Structure formats: C-alpha cells, structure tokens
DNA sequence: TTGAAAGCGGTACCAA
DNA sequence: TTGGTACCGCTTTCAA
C-alpha cells in the first residue's frame, strides 16, 4: 500500500500536522524535526495524495482541454503546447475530443466538473453558448483558444483571422490572381468567417468581386474539401478559378487531391493556399503555402491566463490576438495566362 | 457553490446515507423516497464529487496515457482511440508527452500516482524498465500499447512488427527490387528492430544480402529521415538503392523530401515504403505506400484490457498481436532497369 | 428501510 | 513550536 501522512507521522514520532506543515512549508518547525520528517518521507517514498488534498479545498492541479478532435494535427499541436506549459506549472491535462457535438461538450463539461479540475481550456465550438454559464456561475475558470464566443467574459487567445485572410488575399493578388475561390468551414465557425471576411475585403479593395458560388462551406475533412474543390474546378480553364484560399490545411489538402484527380497541376494550373501551418502543410506535394498560427505561443499564453485567473480571481478579461504569418512554400504561383 | 450530498439530504429530508444509496443503486430504499431524492438532485443540479468518492476508496475514473509526443500524428491517433473507448466506459484521459525522456516518464508516473489514476497506458519507450516496478508493487494496473517490455508482466497490445517488415519486403521483392535500404529508428526501439528483422529475414530468404551501411538508425523526425536518406541516395544510379523501407511514416516523408532535393523521382527512381499509415501517408505526394497499424482497434483493445484488470484483479497477462496490413498507394513501383 | 457514525488522507485553526 | 481536532464530501457498516 501507499504510505500516508499517518505512516510518516508515526514513523517520525510526530503529529500529522507537523508532516503537513513541512510539506507545505508553512508554520514553524524546528530544523531537526523538519529534517527528520523529510528523511522519513524519503524512506517511505511518501507521495501525498492530491485527492485528499483537493478535498480540503486545495487544487487538483488538473486542467481540462476541449478540442474537436485530438487526432487532428492542428489540435494535437495545440494540445502539446498546452500540455507543456501546464506541466511547467505543475498541472496535468485531461483531453476531451468533442467532435463538435454539443452533447459531447456537455458531457465532458459535466465530467470535468465532477472531477474538480481547476480550470478548462475550450478550443471547440458549440452551438449553445449557454453551456458555459453554469461554469461561470460556479466560478470555474474558463479560457478559450482558437475559438471565441464574443459575448462571453472569458480570457481568449486567438490568431487574427481577419488579417490571416488578408495576408492570403494579398499574396494571391500580388501574384496576379483575379479569379479566385474559397473553401471555408461551416458559417457558424467564427474563425473561418473572419478569414473569409478578411480575404474578401482585401479583394474588394482591389476592385475584385467574388461571386457567391465561389465560396463553399465545407466540413472539417479532407474528403469534403476535395469534393467541393472538384465542383469548383471541373470547368473549362476559362471558367475556373486560378487560386483557392482554404480556411485550414485539411481543406487545402482536399483541394490538392481534387486538382490531382482533375489532372490540374499545382501551382501552375491552380494555386492553393491553406491556413494553420500544421505539420501537414510541410509534407504535401507540393508543400503548402499557408497562413501560420503561432500555435505554441498561443498554447503557452492561454495556460498562463488560466493559471493567473485561478490564482487571483477577478481581473479584467483579456482577448489576446496573435499575428498570423504567411508561409510561402510551393503551392502558389502566378496564374497561367 | 456546488451542491453537496448534504444539501440534497437536507432538502429531501433524509440522511446522506439514503442519498448515497440511490446514487449507487445499492441498499433498500422505498420507491417514493428514491423518487423524491432523485427529484431534489435534479432540482439542485447535484453532481457528486469524484474526488470525495475516490477518497473513500472508489475509483477516480481517470486513466493516464504516456506517449512520446501527442503532436505526432501516430500518437495523436492512438490517443483518440484510447480516449474514445475510455469515454465509452466512463473514464477520462490524462495525456503525458514524454519526449522519450526517462526523466519526464518518471515525473509523469509519479504525478499520475499522486492523482490516483485508476490505471496507466504506456505507449512510450523507456531506458530504465525498473521505473514501472513501483507501480506493479502498488498494484496500479499498467498496460502497454505499441511498445513492449518483454520481461514485464503486463497486458500488451502491439502490431506484429516482424510481419509488418515482412509485408514491406515482400511487396518490394515482388516489384523486382533487389537493391534496398532501411531507415530504422534507434536500435533500442523494439518495434523498429522487429520491423527491420522481418524485412531482412525476408530478403535473406530471397537470397538477398543487405550491407550494413544500408541500415540507418534515425531519430523520430522528418529532418533526420531526410538527412539519412540523402546519404543513402546521393550516389550514382548504379550505386544507390532502388527502394527504401522506412520504419515509420515520418521517416518516409523525410525520404520523400530527400528524393525531391536530389531530383530523384518517386517512385520511378526510388520506391519508398512507410509504416503506421497515419494521416500523413495519405497527404504526401506521391501518397505513401505503407504498412498500416490498426490503430483504432489497438486503442480500444488496450483500454478494454486495462479496465478488465482494474475490475477483477489478477488474471493471466496477455500479449495481443494485431496484424498489420500493406496499403499500396503510389510511392512504390518496379525499379528502373 | 433508515440513519448515525466511523473512516478515507489531507489542511488549518487553535490551544497547549 | 507542537499536536489535537474539526472538517472536506462521500461510502459503508451496523444498530435501530
């Protein structure tokens, strides 16, 4: 069996209060007693129970992370960043893949509460934003990453999606494209909406109009990206776009596959630009030009905000917007004339 | 504040014991009381504290998963499979990325113990296998996935690496290759060793010898795979291998990049075959022929074994070996003559 | 059936 | 300085 505080106390011939004090560095203990207790703890290989300690109102040192799917490289990379910073600060991470289903979100939220996690990091969308209010009422710290719920007072760390869309547009514009299309996510995904908005507004400034049918909403899968891209591209050279802005790397990969299937060369016949700069973007062929999210700093920052909040409650909620960056690889070039 | 069992008891005018009983479906409670209590629980939105319950000796319904790096697609996919099956059975998952560092493994092992997880799933290697014995002594259930420690009595779920290597070799042999090379992982990684062994033994059976310098040990990164592949490939057409067996998809991607840099065409000039069949294999260009591990069934199975063990202790430890499968895509073909 | 009470492993207050 | 002790929220035994 595991040694308990009682075992240590008995073995050291002191009270459990004394043991507790040396663990927490509180109270006054004579040097010799402290040394003796430490020695016994060592000898018994004593590991204090986080469970017991949590029951007395202390923290569980556990955080929950909700993402749509941990097997999706973007969220896996976020998870790693969050895990690392959490670990630095002494916290463990429970992962929760929601598949973007409200029912799963709800289940996980409830589970995490029952397990008394110290805080939650939300990186998943949800239709019903009311789901978070019970948490706030119970003052369980919540922060958001890569997603936002504007009318919720929580710390949020996102990339500047509008600027991201703008960067993509500027890049394509500079290359000389005028005839473009967009593979977007579902319209309820704010980040995607903003990316589209940034992209479109830049086109508009350049005097270019994008017909409505050139903006396709896709599910977050390679397959759907491919399907929609095919619809966009299976036209005569004159009728099809020369460049495709995809709101995430998965969709861009779908676009790449669509091009291949249609025997179109990337980038000569069709330029493709992605978003996120996950590992996927670097292994495709051709490697994907994409808009990078600073995933690691974002994860680190969101954890810092969460820990800050659960230490000293109540402070102005901040919305941290990080700057995206254009990563030029080889999936974009000047349009064929 | 959160409602406690006392709140429910008071509100319902019963003892906390009664409330506890209806929660656990134990003891005898009259139908009316049970209904009343249920109603009050509902009304107060009562959520029992897993922490408190765990302290009384019940489970925490939390599992720990140790992998080298959750941002690596292979392990992210494993994590997802494990998470799903755990979730089905009522367990949450704490992820621990070890970077294959014994020091991190140790830290996480200790942390998970302090948090009283019900069991641990090890998918990471470790140099010092002694690290697990303290767990066994404390009879904390441990199972392994995708890795093994032969002299450890734990349930293990792995793919048949030897057969995997064999499948790869047979495929290349059938295509007509005689001049091959291997990108392996570090020799301390048993799975990689077995893959190499399976591959080599099949070549030997076919009367083909592989010179020692044709087997390169790499770190688990695209970069290192690329570096080593370049060394293998930067020779005259006559002196270089016509096919490369890579012990995981990451290395295979490195090989693809090496070929590209050396202006060799895949598969015409050089065939490349990977291992794992992660999402990466489907997005490269050309798409990677690879040996698939049945990740999802493996994850499911390992969780089942773990749960089984922590329910009814003590049973013969089993080693489940799943069959790998050759997935032919477009990175392999007949050798140029 | 029902409920009083003794833990589980700590924390923290307070008296000695 | 020390240690006794009342919780924390829940489970379980046992007497009523």
């Amino acid at each position: 069996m595991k040694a308990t505080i009682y075992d240590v106390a008995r073995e050291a011939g002191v009270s459990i209060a004394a043991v507790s004090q040396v663990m927490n560095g509180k109270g006054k203990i004579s040097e010799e007693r402290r040394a003796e207790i430490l020695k016994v703890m060592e000898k018994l290989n004593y590991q204090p129970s986080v469970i017991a300690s949590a029951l007395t109102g202390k923290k569980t040192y556990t955080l929950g992370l909700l993402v749509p799917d941990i097997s999706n490289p973007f969220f896996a990379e976020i998870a790693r960043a969050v895990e690392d910073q959490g670990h630095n600060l002494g916290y463990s991470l429970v992962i929760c893949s929601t598949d973007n289903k409200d029912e799963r979100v709800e289940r996980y939220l409830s589970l995490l509460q029952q397990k008394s996690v110290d805080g939650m990091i939300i990186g998943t969308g949800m239709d019903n934003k009311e789901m978070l209010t019970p948490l706030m009422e119970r003052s369980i710290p919540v922060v958001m990453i890569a997603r936002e719920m504007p009318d919720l007072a929580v710390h949020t760390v996102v990339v500047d999606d509008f600027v991201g869309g703008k960067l993509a547009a500027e890049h394509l514009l500079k290359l000389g494209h005028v005839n473009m299309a967009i593979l977007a996510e579902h319209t309820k995904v704010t980040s995607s909406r903003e990316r589209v908005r940034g992209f479109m507004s830049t086109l508009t400034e350049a005097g270019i109009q994008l017909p409505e049918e050139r903006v396709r909403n896709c599910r977050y899968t390679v397959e759907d990206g491919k399907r929609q891209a095919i619809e966009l591209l299976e036209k005569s050279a004159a009728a099809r776009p020369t460049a495709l802005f995809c709101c995430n790397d998965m969709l861009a990969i779908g676009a790449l596959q669509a091009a291949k299937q249609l025997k179109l060369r990337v980038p000569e016949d069709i330029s493709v630009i992605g978003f996120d700069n996950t590992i996927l973007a670097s292994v495709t062929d051709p490697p994907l030009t994409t808009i990078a999210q600073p995933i690691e700093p974002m994860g680190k920052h969101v954890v810092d905000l969460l820990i800050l909040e659960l230490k000293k409650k109540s402070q102005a909620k901040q919305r941290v917007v990080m700057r995206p960056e254009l990563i030029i690889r080889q999936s974009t070039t000047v349009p064929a004339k």
Side-chain angles (χ1 to χ4, degrees), chain A:
Chain A
M1 268 328 287
K2 272 189 70 165
T4 72
I5 196 173
Y6 290 95
D7 301 322
V8 176
R10 187 178 340 103
E11 186 79 10
V14 299
S15 74
I16 61 166
V19 179
S20 176
Q21 286 185 22
V22 345
M23 287 197 306
N24 300 291
K26 297 191 172 178
K28 270 82 188 56
I29 304 267
S30 63
E31 248 330 303
E32 36 187 348
R33 283 172 97 66
R34 133 178 259 92
E36 169 65 12
I37 292 174
L38 251 11
K39 206 171 68 189
V40 173
M41 292 190 352
E42 179 81 8
K43 172 179 156 199
L44 266 41
N45 193 244
Y46 170 64
Q47 318 220 133
S49 158
V50 174
I51 297 288
S53 148
L55 190 54
T56 72
K58 308 206 68 167
K59 295 188 294 188
T60 53
Y61 290 96
T62 302
L63 270 20
L65 172 66
L66 275 70
V67 292
D69 180 5
I70 190 68
S71 74
N72 173 313
F74 176 64
F75 296 107
E77 289 172 30
I78 291 225
R80 177 66 209 250
V82 167
E83 182 201 339
D84 277 354
Q85 184 64 3
H87 193 235
N88 287 340
L89 273 28
Y91 293 79
S92 309
L93 228 215
V94 173
I95 49 160
C96 310
S97 295
T98 67
D99 284 335
N100 280 320
K101 303 238 181 70
D102 275 14
E103 135 215 356
R104 280 181 70 110
V105 172
E106 196 137 32
R107 172 99 195 279
Y108 270 123
L109 250 23
S110 159
L111 264 174
L112 292 174
Q113 275 184 77
Q114 296 188 20
K115 297 194 175 168
S116 308
V117 298
D118 295 329
M120 310 193 190
I121 299 165
I122 315 278
T124 188
M126 53 193 99
D127 295 333
N128 176 8
K129 35 193 76 174
E130 302 310 312
M131 286 194 293
L132 291 183
T133 58
L135 301 188
M136 332 246 25
E137 279 165 11
R138 291 175 180 187
S139 61
I140 296 175
V142 172
V143 298
M144 306 208 60
I145 183 170
R147 300 274 175 167
E148 43 191 335
M149 318 229 67
D151 36 60
L152 224 51
V154 296
H155 289 310
T156 303
V157 175
V158 289
V159 78
D160 194 325
D161 293 300
F162 186 88
V163 167
K166 192 173 162 62
L167 288 174
E170 287 171 352
H171 175 62
L172 295 177
L173 246 18
K174 185 148 49 161
L175 287 171
H177 292 273
V178 291
N179 202 349
M180 308 177 227
I182 304 180
L183 250 39
E185 293 179 43
H186 192 288
T187 48
K188 77 184 177 191
V189 180
T190 42
S191 59
S192 172
R193 273 206 322 261
E194 281 302 291
R195 291 170 195 180
V196 171
R197 209 167 61 81
F199 189 87
M200 302 268 267
S201 97
T202 306
L203 294 202
T204 306
E205 282 169 20
I208 296 179
Q209 282 305 319
L210 209 58
E212 204 169 307
E213 71 275 15
R214 283 289 177 83
V215 182
R216 322 289 293 220
N217 298 115
C218 313
R219 275 172 301 118
Y220 202 140
T221 64
V222 172
E223 293 67 33
D224 204 41
K226 178 176 178 183
R227 194 173 57 75
Q228 305 262 4
I230 286 181
E231 289 185 19
L232 247 14
L233 299 177
E234 60 181 356
K235 307 191 167 156
S236 67
R240 82 170 99 91
T242 60
L244 230 45
F245 169 48
C246 307
C247 284
N248 64 55
D249 288 344
M250 287 279 221
L251 295 179
I253 287 167
L256 253 27
Q257 296 185 350
K260 189 160 195 172
Q261 179 169 326
L262 296 175
K263 304 262 191 283
L264 296 176
R265 291 163 306 160
V266 177
E268 295 80 358
D269 299 323
I270 174 82
S271 284
V272 174
I273 180 165
F275 207 113
D276 288 346
N277 193 32
T278 55
I279 187 174
L280 298 177
S282 63
V283 307
T284 54
D285 175 61
L288 211 52
T289 294
T290 191
I291 306 296
Q293 297 205 44
I295 296 184
E296 205 248 304
M298 285 171 70
K300 181 174 183 325
H301 205 106
V302 82
V303 171
D304 286 342
L305 286 174
L306 182 57
I307 305 297
L308 217 67
E309 174 155 4
L310 57 85
K311 287 205 160 153
K312 35 164 108 129
K313 315 292 286 182
S314 84
Q315 48 167 317
K317 301 293 182 274
Q318 46 184 113
R319 175 166 179 276
V320 178
V321 180
M322 303 232 173
R323 190 165 173 87
E325 187 189 352
L326 171 67
I327 306 289
I328 300 182
R329 294 206 180 82
Q330 295 152 44
S331 65
T332 48
T333 190
V334 296
K337 56 189 168 333

